[in-house]
């Protein structure tokens, strides 16, 4: 691959993530018009339009969304190849032990680790998937190299690397909304049935942005309480009520129309203050662990893959 094409792919992905020529241009020391010309050149080369442009936003077309999946893989492979060439042979051998929440691990982490292992045949990974919340105090660190944690990080002893942002959407099945009606504002939730976490609810669950303040609104009756996110998704798909689910969990069902997003009139909700982090005990981790961290950040950082299809459907964030 030529350096020019690689630079165009990186620029394209940065525009996709930022939703702006000017923001992407600052990352590359380019003017917005220069970014636009390079995207135009890429579109001419591909023979399709990658972005729809207005005075307010730059949004990917369906062709742009599809191309982004391929482009991200190409850039990831190129970055891995460069990292491999720059690393010592010992950095590319050995075992990396990872703990992660089971729902996220099955859907997103396991496929990413498979790609990583294919790129590094002398590295092995021991993955342990745990239901509910994963090791909030980092007690397993020392026994494992990385713990993926979803939500706020309370223990400042731990070194936390942001891996992915977290967006949460209130949603329900079409059957439930047909039966009970569609709420147009979170303040209507008390008149509806819902599904919720048992005991340790996420900090931002049922909190909705209003004039810069997050306000708590919840359904009046909880038809199901569970300590497992996938159980809540199953109940929501079955029409039990409204749930407030992360897009990494509900994104596929939302994109397929099996769930209907609520309160997204102005686009996807804002990302939560605390997202998905990889925790470790010290900064002096094994170089192969740092290599995996870099890979995960590239894979899930910015606007993560599970939000890309939703952005095409619901538009930019509110």
């Amino acid at each position: 691959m030529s350096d020019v094409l690689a630079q165009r792919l990186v620029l394209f992905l940065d525009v996709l993530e930022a939703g702006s020529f000017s923001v992407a241009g600052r990352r590359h020391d380019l003017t917005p018009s220069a970014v636009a010309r390079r995207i135009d050149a890429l579109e001419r080369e591909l023979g399709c339009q990658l972005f729809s442009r207005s005075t307010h936003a730059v949004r990917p077309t369906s062709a742009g969304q599809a191309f982004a999946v391929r482009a991200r893989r190409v850039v990831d492979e190129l970055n891995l190849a460069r990292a491999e060439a720059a690393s010592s042979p010992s950095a590319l051998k050995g075992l990396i032990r990872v703990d992660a929440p089971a729902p996220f691990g099955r859907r997103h982490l396991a496929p990413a680790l498979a790609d990583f292992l294919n790129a590094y045949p002398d590295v092995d990974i021991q993955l342990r998937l745990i239901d509910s919340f994963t090791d909030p105090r980092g007690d397993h660190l020392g026994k494992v190299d990385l713990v993926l944690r979803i939500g706020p990080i309370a223990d400042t002893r731990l070194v936390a690397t942001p891996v992915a942002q977290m967006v949460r959407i209130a949603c329900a099945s079409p059957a439930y909304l047909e039966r009970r009606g569609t709420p147009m504002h979170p303040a209507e939730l008390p008149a509806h049935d819902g599904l919720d976490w048992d005991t340790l609810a996420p900090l931002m669950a049922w909190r909705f942005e209003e004039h810069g303040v997050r306000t708590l609104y919840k359904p009046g009756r909880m038809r199901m309480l569970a300590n497992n996110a996938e159980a809540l998704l199953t109940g929501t798909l079955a029409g039990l009520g409204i749930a407030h689910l992360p897009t990494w969990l509900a994104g596929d069902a939302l994109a397929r129309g099996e769930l209907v997003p609520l309160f997204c009139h102005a686009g996807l909700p804002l990302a939560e203050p605390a997202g998905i982090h990889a925790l470790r005990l010290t900064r002096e981790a094994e170089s192969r662990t740092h290599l995996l961290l870099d890979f995960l950040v590239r894979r899930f950082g910015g606007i993560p893959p599970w939000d890309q299809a939703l952005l095409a459907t619901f538009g930019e964030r509110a």
Side-chain angles (χ1 to χ4, degrees), residues 131-152:
D131 284 329
S132 190
F133 287 83
T134 299
D135 192 19
R137 298 192 306 270
D139 292 337
H140 295 147
L141 287 169
K143 303 174 186 176
V144 299
D145 301 296
L146 292 176
V147 169
L148 260 66
R149 178 78 168 91
I150 298 176

Side-chain angles (χ1 to χ4, degrees), residues 2-268:
S2 71
D3 286 342
V4 172
L5 179 56
Q7 290 168 5
R8 284 183 184 175
L9 293 181
V10 172
L11 181 62
F12 161 74
L13 292 173
D14 282 345
V15 172
L16 186 73
E17 175 189 330
S20 163
F21 286 159
S22 59
V23 174
R26 286 195 291 271
R27 298 178 184 178
H28 295 263
D29 197 23
L30 295 171
T31 64
S33 60
V35 173
R37 287 195 298 272
R38 296 189 185 194
I39 295 298
D40 287 342
L42 182 59
E43 289 176 332
R44 287 195 299 273
E45 187 174 332
L46 295 172
C48 64
Q49 185 177 359
L50 299 175
F51 294 102
S52 61
R53 311 169 192 185
S54 70
T55 56
H56 301 293
V58 178
R59 296 176 179 174
T61 62
S62 57
Q65 292 285 356
F67 181 67
V69 175
R70 302 283 186 181
R72 192 173 287 107
R73 289 176 182 169
V74 170
V75 171
D76 282 347
E77 288 295 326
L78 181 60
N79 288 331
L80 280 172
R82 287 172 174 167
E84 183 172 346
S87 300
S88 65
S90 62
L92 309 179
K93 297 179 180 178
L95 177 67
I96 307 173
R97 302 160 299 173
V98 182
D99 278 9
F104 181 81
R106 281 191 287 265
R107 281 173 166 75
H108 304 291
L109 182 60
L113 294 181
D115 289 344
F116 180 82
L117 290 172
N118 280 327
Y120 292 95
D122 292 327
V123 173
D124 301 317
I125 287 178
Q126 181 185 64
L127 174 63
R128 187 174 69 159
L129 299 181
I130 304 171
D131 284 329
S132 190
F133 287 83
T134 299
D135 192 19
R137 298 192 306 270
D139 292 337
H140 295 147
L141 287 169
K143 303 174 186 176
V144 299
D145 301 296
L146 292 176
V147 169
L148 260 66
R149 178 78 168 91
I150 298 176
I153 306 300
D155 195 335
T156 57
R157 297 174 304 133
L158 306 176
V159 180
T161 300
V163 171
Q165 67 181 20
M166 177 90 117
V167 174
R168 195 178 301 274
I169 288 183
C171 54
S173 72
Y176 173 85
L177 297 175
E178 183 177 353
R179 186 172 73 250
R180 296 291 302 276
T182 301
M184 302 306 294
H185 188 277
E188 300 174 44
L189 285 174
H192 282 267
D193 295 339
L195 303 91
D196 203 4
W197 278 261
D198 187 19
T199 61
L200 289 175
L203 184 63
M204 291 293 122
W206 304 112
R207 284 166 171 80
F208 299 91
E209 189 86 12
E210 287 188 317
H211 309 295
V213 177
R214 292 190 185 260
T215 304
L216 178 66
Y217 295 106
K218 299 181 71 170
R221 179 188 177 191
M222 293 300 179
R223 297 296 313 281
M224 176 187 282
L225 297 174
N227 69 342
N228 178 273
E230 288 176 314
L232 297 178
L233 175 62
T234 299
T236 310
L237 289 167
L240 295 181
I242 298 171
H244 198 201
L245 300 175
T247 52
W248 62 257
L249 176 68
D252 288 344
L254 287 163
R256 291 192 297 262
E258 296 168 354
L259 292 177
V260 178
L262 302 175
F263 322 130
C264 292
H265 320 295
L268 283 180

